Amino acid sequence: MPRSEHERVPGTKRADTGDEGPPRTRSADLPAAEVAGVGLRMMTELTGKEAESVTLVEPSEDGWLVGVEMVEDRRIPSSGDTLAMYEIDLDMTGGLLSYRRVRRYKRGSGDLAEGSR
């Protein structure tokens, strides 16, 4: 029985691209807000450091990409803190695929990318 593009049979090829793969059912999996919470908790557990904020939640080919800002080194005053940005790749159910630190910086140093907009 034919199915819509979003409900194609696992392992079948798409007519438009020829790509083969499992059907994408992101709407039946975790919502973006829940993915953000999963990423935040996961980074805290993995690094043992304090999470500052979630800065990115974005769908990816295999699931989700989550950006989390972490406090790497706490100082007094807090303007001397060292922060780091981590990216976490999660599958569609919130399982960890990979993570990496992409940047380290001093609190308040500003985002270099902001100046180029």
Side-chain angles (χ1 to χ4, degrees):
M1 159 176 4
R3 296 178 176 210
S4 73
E5 176 63 23
H6 298 290
E7 299 177 323
R8 62 188 169 78
V9 176
T12 60
K13 292 187 178 185
R14 282 191 199 161
D16 60 339
T17 64
D19 292 341
E20 188 173 315
R24 307 264 320 221
T25 57
R26 186 177 311 283
S27 62
D29 294 315
L30 297 173
E34 195 169 329
V35 169
V38 168
L40 198 67
R41 286 187 301 276
M42 205 170 277
M43 283 311 306
T44 301
E45 290 175 21
L46 287 167
T47 65
K49 298 185 183 299
E50 180 185 345
E52 188 79 3
S53 63
V54 173
T55 60
L56 169 75
V57 177
E58 178 179 284
S60 69
E61 187 158 324
D62 296 328
W64 296 95
L65 178 64
V66 180
V68 179
E69 189 175 51
M70 306 290 294
V71 178
E72 294 265 303
D73 187 26
R74 181 82 57 201
R75 297 288 179 177
I76 297 176
S78 62
S79 59
D81 290 352
T82 300
L83 304 178
M85 182 62 61
Y86 285 84
E87 289 183 349
I88 311 152
D89 291 309
L90 302 173
D91 65 20
M92 289 201 190
T93 62
L96 179 67
L97 297 173
S98 68
Y99 81 98
R100 64 200 155 276
R101 183 174 64 196
V102 293
R103 191 173 148 226
R104 259 180 87 128
Y105 50 95
K106 292 290 185 189
R107 183 185 299 276
S109 63
D111 187 354
L112 298 176
E114 284 181 15
S116 63
R117 288 185 193 168

